[in-house]
Amino acid sequence: MTIQKKLTAVTAASVLAMSSLFAAVPALAAPDVHGKPVSEKEHGHGKGNGKGHGHGKGGNPKKAQEVSLQILGTSDLHTNFVNYDYYQDKVSNSLGLAKTGVLIEQAREENSNTLLFDNGDLIQGTPFGGYKVSVDPLDDDELHPAYAALESLDFDASTLGNHEFNFGLDYLDNALEEAPFPVLNANVYDAETGENRYTPYTIIDKKVVDSKGKKHTIQVGVIGVVAPQIMKWDRANLEGKVTTEDAVESVEKFIPEVEAAGADVVVVLSHSGMGDETYQVGEEDITYQLTEVEGVDAIITGHNHDLFPGSYSELANVDQEKGLINGTPVVMPGKFGSHLGVIDLTLEKKGKKWKVTDEQAELRAIDSTTDERAEQVVEAVKEAHEGTIDYVRSPVGETTAPINSYFSLVKDDPSVQIVNNAQSWYVEQKRAGTANADLPLLSAAAPFKAGGRNGGDYYTNIETGQIAIKNVADLYVFDNTVFALKLTGADLKEWLEMSAGQFLQVDPTATVEQQLINPDFRTYNFDVIDGVTYDIDITQPAKYDADGNTVNETASRIQNLSYEGTAVAEDQEFLVVTNNYRASGNFPGVRNATEAIDYAYENRQVIQDYMLEQGTIDPSADGNWSFAPFTGNPSLVFETSAAAQSLIPADSGISYLEASANGFAKYGLMIK
């Protein structure tokens, strides 16, 4: 047993012992979002049951009372409720809660002893979310359509994801005010009072039928946590108002209270990535550590937009066949409603106690080949959905050529160039008359839609002609706000060294095929900084890993870094436009900024304003970065969309090779 488990077990035992002494005293209810206790009826409070969370078959199943409890979960829906792609303005059967709803209904037909939870990142992500903020703002007593969508499928509870905080606390409070089920979070605290800002847990009295047809009530405790990094990502919205605690420690803190309140089963909704075996207090991705916490019976996780069972076989104690990690069932159901997580728990009653004796976790993929959907979801969000479609079709300008991000990882790209041009245009106006007015102005942007974990169709693709709001949202998919950072030439180089981790090291003398793109590096971290010119030497190792840790101290991939034809000096000062996510993060170079200016204006809106100002844009990249030439002719390959075959730029050194899986194709690259 780990130290964490031992401490938790001792604490739980103490609490349960005390609860038996004071059984006549009602347990305190967890506060709701406004600090008021949730009713005893909702939480099902009662004395502690003294149960142990054992795994493995026990007892005689013929004599024991046995219940099959099914736990269903979604995560990272990001306002994809209808099977509709707002960026492409067309029906898409590869996404949407309306598609997942078909699987939910099927699962309930298989087992009536079912609970349904959502794991957060619900109210933001597509123009639908933005529409309900800026175009048709949420009224004080209005049920947010996101929660209306979940209500239509009878969700039992949800938790807060990091993107729930993107629109500020007032907006979130308003959305939660009318939520028809508990929305949980245990590790965000009010900065002034030190109390939980939201309901940390709930206990659901679930009526079930056992294998012999007898009815019972099983109490299911549910705890929700979010990555503490919300304090960095949404600092402007949260600083001074809330604080966060470590997610693992928060779950450990509340398990004894949940058990003392009567929980037979404990489910954790973890809006945190999977992580790994190494753990540091306060880190972002800790689901792996939660599987080691005594008392946790099941976990629904997300944040990574990945799949489990499926991924993460490299981790210790992973059972892909049963969907277990360290003996705990876990589901990570992809993104946008692509999968439904299904956890089956077998419980046996020994005396007055229920014990988990078997568990199984799996994912079920939606059927993308048919139009079948849960119509009640569509009806629940109909008004907002139709309003969003009208909104995204509004024109903002014209483009003289197609704009796509198919090759944005291997060459300077128009889709990134337009973002940088717009950002520079905006801050140039805003800094006039300030102390930073005469500093060299640069702009940083990344290819946000460039395949990767999101699949072979996840690319910006805008045709020649009219540009509408939907296209702007396709260029810039995140609800970020504009920041400018003041830093030195030395910091600028380190920032670019970090970005250059997008590429694997190349051996120019090798004759075998070599992959160019680092699959562990997120494309939204591949910042292209305009206003300077530079080369990237991929024959050298990356200086930093994907998390910004130094792995090769003497490496120097960034070569010939220049501003207006002159080499950048280490102490030369620059003003670099970026977004709140980058400005509040821990990127090398960025973290040394001497000043951070928050313009409190959306990057996406800046692009829209820029296009309206320009009228017609010429989407051509200025070629400010390239790969440094080297001796040799290695066979370099990379993947991008199979749809890009007919759009290979002339004289780019790019060639189509063959189709691969999930809508991707393999391409070759010759560096000249």
Side-chain angles (χ1 to χ4, degrees):
M1 180 181 288
T2 65
I3 292 176
Q4 288 178 342
K5 282 186 173 183
K6 288 180 180 178
L7 289 174
T8 305
V10 170
T11 305
S14 300
V15 172
L16 294 172
M18 291 298 292
S19 67
S20 65
L21 292 175
F22 299 101
V25 180
L28 291 177
D32 70 3
V33 66
H34 304 291
K36 295 178 288 189
V38 178
S39 69
E40 287 189 332
K41 181 179 180 181
E42 179 180 345
H43 273 272
H45 285 304
K47 62 182 180 180
N49 62 2
K51 73 178 181 67
H53 288 281
H55 295 303
K57 275 287 182 186
N60 186 339
K62 292 184 179 179
K63 295 181 179 180
Q65 294 175 315
E66 187 175 88
V67 167
S68 174
L69 179 66
Q70 189 172 72
I71 296 167
L72 309 177
T74 58
S75 188
D76 298 275
L77 290 171
H78 286 286
T79 67
N80 287 284
F81 305 120
V82 182
N83 52 327
Y84 200 88
D85 186 332
Y86 296 108
Y87 303 113
Q88 298 298 318
D89 195 11
K90 64 181 182 181
V91 171
S92 173
N93 286 319
S94 64
L95 54 80
L97 181 64
K99 297 291 292 183
T100 328
V102 175
L103 299 177
I104 292 169
E105 291 170 342
Q106 290 172 352
R108 284 171 169 160
E109 289 176 1
E110 298 168 8
N111 186 347
S112 62
N113 302 331
T114 298
L115 289 167
L116 175 60
F117 304 117
D118 178 70
N119 192 51
D121 275 6
L122 180 71
I123 66 172
Q124 176 277 347
T126 72
F128 183 108
Y131 173 80
K132 286 304 299 179
V133 174
S134 58
V135 181
D136 181 26
L138 197 65
D139 292 334
D140 288 343
D141 58 351
E142 179 185 354
L143 175 61
H144 194 291
Y147 292 114
L150 267 57
E151 183 185 32
S152 74
L153 289 169
D154 295 323
F155 273 72
D156 293 286
S158 178
T159 193
L160 297 176
N162 54 292
H163 285 287
E164 260 66 73
F165 297 91
N166 287 170
F167 304 131
L169 291 175
D170 289 343
Y171 184 87
L172 179 55
D173 284 351
N174 191 20
L176 295 179
E177 177 75 32
E178 304 298 326
F181 44 75
V183 181
L184 309 172
N185 175 271
N187 67 320
V188 177
Y189 290 80
D190 186 280
E192 183 175 343
T193 66
E195 300 294 326
N196 281 97
R197 184 66 164 72
Y198 305 99
T199 307
Y201 68 85
T202 190
I203 295 179
I204 299 170
D205 291 337
K206 179 61 180 175
K207 297 186 184 302
V208 297
V209 179
D210 69 17
S211 57
K212 298 179 181 180
K214 186 177 180 180
K215 295 180 180 180
H216 306 271
T217 297
I218 293 177
Q219 293 183 310
V220 180
V222 190
I223 306 171
V225 288
V226 70
Q229 282 68 24
I230 60 171
M231 295 304 300
K232 293 182 178 180
W233 301 329
D234 276 301
R235 182 174 62 186
N237 291 331
L238 305 181
E239 193 170 44
K241 300 175 183 178
V242 297
T243 61
T244 57
E245 299 292 338
D246 178 77
V248 177
E249 292 179 348
S250 296
V251 171
E252 291 178 326
K253 171 185 174 180
F254 282 105
I255 280 181
E257 187 173 329
V258 169
E259 292 182 334
D264 299 299
V265 175
V266 177
V267 179
V268 176
L269 308 181
S270 170
H271 198 89
S272 161
M274 185 66 73
D276 53 29
E277 297 95 330
T278 304
Y279 168 60
Q280 292 182 333
V281 173
E283 70 176 307
E284 177 182 349
D285 299 327
I286 49 73
T287 294
Y288 186 88
Q289 277 67 47
L290 291 178
T291 66
E292 299 179 303
V293 174
E294 189 74 23
V296 174
D297 292 301
I299 300 172
I300 299 172
T301 188
H303 189 53
N304 289 153
H305 291 199
D306 209 340
L307 303 176
F308 186 84
S311 299
Y312 307 107
S313 292
E314 73 280 4
L315 298 177
N317 302 318
V318 170
D319 184 341
Q320 293 283 4
E321 184 176 347
K322 295 202 70 177
L324 309 180
I325 302 177
N326 293 309
T328 303
V330 179
V331 288
M332 181 184 284
K335 65 185 188 305
F336 310 162
S338 64
H339 293 74
L340 177 67
V342 181
I343 298 174
D344 288 300
L345 300 179
T346 300
L347 293 89
E348 290 183 5
K349 193 171 187 180
K350 303 288 185 66
K352 294 184 178 180
K353 301 175 184 178
W354 289 97
K355 181 180 180 181
V356 176
T357 59
D358 195 19
E359 54 271 296
Q360 172 79 48
E362 65 171 320
L363 295 183
R364 299 180 184 180
I366 61 175
D367 186 352
S368 61
T369 65
T370 74
D371 293 326
E372 185 181 10
R373 63 186 186 179
E375 293 297 335
Q376 67 267 39
V377 178
V378 179
E379 187 61 31
V381 300
K382 181 179 179 180
E383 182 179 346
H385 169 64
E386 292 177 350
T388 301
I389 292 175
D390 290 341
Y391 166 63
V392 300
R393 290 174 178 172
S394 303
V396 295
E398 299 275 338
T399 175
T400 61
I403 305 170
N404 62 70
S405 61
Y406 292 133
F407 303 107
S408 57
L409 299 183
V410 297
K411 62 185 294 294
D412 196 19
D413 189 80
S415 69
V416 179
Q417 185 74 56
I418 292 170
V419 175
N420 273 327
N421 289 350
Q423 291 179 166
S424 296
W425 168 83
Y426 175 77
V427 173
E428 186 66 70
Q429 300 171 72
K430 292 295 181 181
R431 71 171 183 160
T434 71
N436 296 316
D438 296 327
L439 285 179
L441 182 64
L442 313 179
S443 180
F448 296 130
K449 293 185 69 176
R453 60 182 178 172
N454 290 314
D457 60 351
Y458 194 72
Y459 291 87
T460 296
N461 186 21
I462 304 169
E463 297 180 354
T464 301
Q466 185 182 89
I467 298 178
I469 289 174
K470 63 184 178 183
N471 305 128
V472 176
D474 202 27
L475 276 170
Y476 207 107
V477 299
F478 298 111
D479 293 305
N480 292 334
T481 56
V482 180
F483 266 72
L485 302 176
K486 187 176 180 179
L487 40 71
T488 67
D491 298 328
L492 180 65
K493 183 176 184 298
E494 294 311 301
W495 186 342
L496 289 170
E497 288 287 354
M498 175 64 193
S499 294
Q502 179 69 74
F503 308 108
L504 298 171
Q505 186 178 10
V506 168
D507 179 356
T509 66
T511 57
V512 296
E513 194 172 83
Q514 299 180 68
Q515 290 288 340
L516 178 61
I517 304 300
N518 180 357
D520 296 326
F521 197 93
R522 301 305 187 198
T523 66
Y524 54 70
N525 284 333
F526 178 48
D527 285 342
V528 173
I529 300 184
D530 262 301
V532 289
T533 57
Y534 54 96
D535 297 327
I536 301 176
D537 184 357
I538 54 176
T539 66
Q540 292 204 37
K543 184 171 184 177
Y544 301 101
D545 67 14
D547 296 318
N549 302 308
T550 303
V551 289
N552 294 289
E553 180 67 43
T554 60
S556 181
R557 282 186 160 184
I558 302 303
Q559 305 290 322
N560 305 317
L561 179 59
S562 301
Y563 174 73
E564 294 186 345
T566 302
V568 169
E570 288 193 353
D571 60 353
Q572 186 175 0
E573 287 191 318
F574 295 89
L575 193 66
V576 186
V577 191
T578 182
N579 58 63
N580 61 302
Y581 179 86
R582 181 67 71 242
S584 60
N586 199 37
F587 245 44
V590 172
R591 55 196 178 208
N592 297 331
T594 57
E595 185 178 354
I597 305 165
D598 179 7
Y599 291 100
Y601 199 68
E602 285 192 1
N603 297 71
R604 186 185 297 154
Q605 188 63 48
V606 165
I607 300 168
Q608 187 172 319
D609 294 346
Y610 172 74
M611 289 183 173
L612 286 168
E613 169 78 14
Q614 298 294 310
T616 300
I617 61 171
D618 174 22
S620 58
D622 60 12
N624 72 299
W625 75 271
S626 60
F627 293 113
F630 48 76
T631 302
N633 187 27
S635 176
L636 305 182
V637 297
F638 67 96
E639 280 193 336
T640 186
S641 174
Q645 181 179 356
S646 62
L647 297 169
I648 297 174
D651 300 321
S652 62
I654 299 171
S655 58
Y656 175 84
L657 298 178
E658 61 184 7
S660 51
N662 300 321
F664 289 104
K666 185 198 296 186
Y667 294 77
L669 177 67
M670 179 180 294
I671 296 177
K672 302 176 182 179

